[in-house]
Amino acid sequence: MCRRPCRRDRGESQAVSGGAPKRYVVHIGPMKTASTYLQQCLKAARSQLLAQGIYYAREFIAENNKFMHMRLHYALMRNRMQELRQGFAALNACGAHTVVLSCEHMMFQREAGYELLRELTEGAAVDIVYFSRRWSDRYASIWNQTLLMGGSQTFPEFFMSMLSGKSPNFYPPKVRAAGLQLDFDYAVIWRMVAQVFGRESLTIFPYSTTVDDGGDVYKLFCKTVLGLADAPKVTLAGEKLWASMPTEDAELLRVLNDMHFRATGEQDAAVRGAFLKERKRIDFGGVAAAMQASLTETEIDDGAPYFDPPYGRMSEFRDRVIGGGEVFARKRKDIRHFKSGYLLAGGVREALQSLYARVAAGLMDAE
């Protein structure tokens, strides 16, 4: 971690205001709301933002990806006071009027972590920013992520688990054990933020509305949250990155994850990488043909009765939504996935067993 105020890359603008930050903007996610895209853009625009007195912090940046503040999340969760005090001493002396921090894992913070964050910001205004995305869009994205992390639930199984309040397999064990329903009722976090920082400190970013209108998340964030007339231009802006896997690949990965779990008793995110290497080398024409007969859709209806209670609680925070109005418009969406009948077609079982053998060999070679 940087112990000097606002260390900058060579050539990065030095134009900042004097004194301690007057404002902290802390983007807490949640997951699957273009967080990586936003963070990549803010990192790319760091020099231009700093010239306007806005510092996308280098302190607490994750070492593995260099663009999100994962170390802040862990330090708050684990009460690492020396690391926190060193980092915020640098931030509070950086000279920028606004400091921006972003980590979607911050959605898992509990009240004690947020109280510690309030203390460390030393009286500056703190805006906690939460991106509100409708369930019918977000659940399909979360399911895809569970497959990337080694999960093997079919979409209907996953959807029913979400409705029962269970957390996805890639969430931290303590979160899953707590049963906080963070992906079902967003107001759980909003109430916590309001309790610690005050209701006026909560900013709900209308993610779904932005996407519905064809807007760019990064550009609107700069305009509405950071108060800039124009977002600094970066090469990532407007691009669609980190898209979900094609439906066919998602099903193949799901089956491979299931086979791997049966063989080893473990879920392993590395299965995906090994699968993608083999995917280009093998002809899946026969399997793909069998799969098409099992292609189906499951509808998610944001207006269904079981969504009424959480939507009602969330609607109590409509005044905190940028631009006012709904937290998101309730819609319906058909999620494409495969039923398991194709697995009984001739030759499919043997083809998948052969593929898993190659994937397993690849995992062994990578160790």
Side-chain angles (χ1 to χ4, degrees), residues 318-338:
R318 283 179 295 184
D319 60 305
R320 304 312 309 158
V321 178
I322 293 173
E326 300 173 294
V327 293
F328 54 72
R330 301 171 78 173
K331 296 187 177 183
R332 298 179 180 181
K333 185 173 183 177
D334 292 325
I335 310 302
R336 301 176 75 220
H337 59 92
F338 290 94

Side-chain angles (χ1 to χ4, degrees), residues 141-195:
S141 186
I142 295 176
W143 175 59
N144 193 271
Q145 186 67 31
T146 68
L147 301 182
L148 300 183
M149 301 305 293
S152 59
Q153 285 182 313
T154 64
F155 181 76
E157 289 172 332
F158 165 81
F159 184 39
M160 291 305 297
S161 71
M162 296 295 284
L163 294 183
S164 65
K166 295 182 180 178
S167 297
N169 67 304
F170 61 94
Y171 280 8
K174 288 184 179 180
V175 173
R176 297 201 302 270
L180 295 173
Q181 298 189 345
L182 299 178
D183 297 293
F184 188 71
D185 184 356
Y186 304 162
V188 170
I189 299 177
W190 299 350
R191 288 175 175 173
M192 192 183 307
V193 168
Q195 177 68 29

Side-chain angles (χ1 to χ4, degrees), residues 144-310:
N144 193 271
Q145 186 67 31
T146 68
L147 301 182
L148 300 183
M149 301 305 293
S152 59
Q153 285 182 313
T154 64
F155 181 76
E157 289 172 332
F158 165 81
F159 184 39
M160 291 305 297
S161 71
M162 296 295 284
L163 294 183
S164 65
K166 295 182 180 178
S167 297
N169 67 304
F170 61 94
Y171 280 8
K174 288 184 179 180
V175 173
R176 297 201 302 270
L180 295 173
Q181 298 189 345
L182 299 178
D183 297 293
F184 188 71
D185 184 356
Y186 304 162
V188 170
I189 299 177
W190 299 350
R191 288 175 175 173
M192 192 183 307
V193 168
Q195 177 68 29
V196 175
F197 296 97
R199 185 185 180 90
E200 70 282 356
S201 295
L202 173 64
T203 297
I204 300 175
F205 184 94
Y207 176 92
S208 289
T209 302
T210 302
V211 174
D212 290 346
D213 295 340
D216 182 278
V217 168
Y218 161 68
K219 291 179 180 178
L220 191 63
F221 181 89
C222 287
K223 180 179 179 180
T224 60
V225 177
L226 301 184
L228 300 177
D230 296 295
K233 293 183 179 180
V234 295
T235 56
L236 292 176
E239 295 182 7
K240 292 185 177 180
L241 305 176
W242 308 285
S244 296
M245 292 182 294
T247 306
E248 183 179 290
D249 283 4
E251 172 61 15
L252 291 173
L253 178 58
R254 186 194 70 78
V255 173
L256 290 172
N257 287 338
D258 182 67
M259 296 173 77
H260 185 71
F261 182 78
R262 293 174 184 274
T264 67
E266 297 179 354
Q267 292 185 346
D268 191 344
V271 171
R272 177 204 179 199
F275 161 60
L276 291 179
K277 288 181 180 179
E278 297 299 331
R279 184 73 173 88
K280 300 176 182 179
R281 304 174 184 173
I282 300 177
D283 180 9
F284 283 94
V287 175
M291 292 174 71
Q292 292 311 304
S294 295
L295 183 62
T296 189
E297 294 178 342
T298 293
E299 180 189 76
I300 298 181
D301 182 359
D302 296 314
Y306 44 75
F307 282 130
D308 285 341

Side-chain angles (χ1 to χ4, degrees), residues 93-153:
C94 75
H97 60 70
T98 299
V99 171
V100 181
L101 299 160
S102 176
C103 177
E104 60 268 34
H105 294 261
M106 291 280 286
M107 66 178 282
F108 301 128
Q109 284 292 330
R110 305 276 43 90
E111 189 168 330
Y114 285 127
E115 289 177 342
L116 182 54
L117 178 63
R118 183 183 60 180
E119 174 189 334
L120 291 163
T121 52
E122 297 186 353
V126 179
D127 290 330
I128 305 295
V129 184
Y130 186 101
F131 280 35
S132 181
R133 184 179 185 184
R134 65 174 59 92
W135 299 295
S136 55
D137 289 332
R138 187 161 175 257
Y139 279 6
S141 186
I142 295 176
W143 175 59
N144 193 271
Q145 186 67 31
T146 68
L147 301 182
L148 300 183
M149 301 305 293
S152 59
Q153 285 182 313

Side-chain angles (χ1 to χ4, degrees), residues 255-256 259 282-284 286-287 342-358:
V255 173
L256 290 172
M259 296 173 77
I282 300 177
D283 180 9
F284 283 94
V287 175
Y342 77 93
L343 294 170
L344 301 177
V348 170
R349 178 170 173 269
E350 292 77 10
L352 292 176
Q353 287 177 329
S354 176
L355 173 59
Y356 176 68
R358 297 179 64 147

Side-chain angles (χ1 to χ4, degrees), residues 43-83:
K43 175 189 175 184
R46 182 180 278 129
S47 178
Q48 297 150 280
L49 290 170
L50 191 60
Q52 301 183 68
I54 300 170
Y55 178 41
Y56 187 61
R58 292 185 175 280
E59 290 74 11
F60 301 111
I61 285 289
E63 296 178 356
N64 64 328
N65 60 40
K66 309 299 184 185
F67 53 76
M68 69 184 295
H69 299 100
M70 178 66 87
R71 293 172 64 185
L72 172 61
H73 168 64
Y74 283 140
L76 290 171
M77 287 284 286
R78 299 167 184 173
N79 205 36
R80 295 175 178 169
M81 293 308 302
Q82 182 177 359
E83 181 178 359

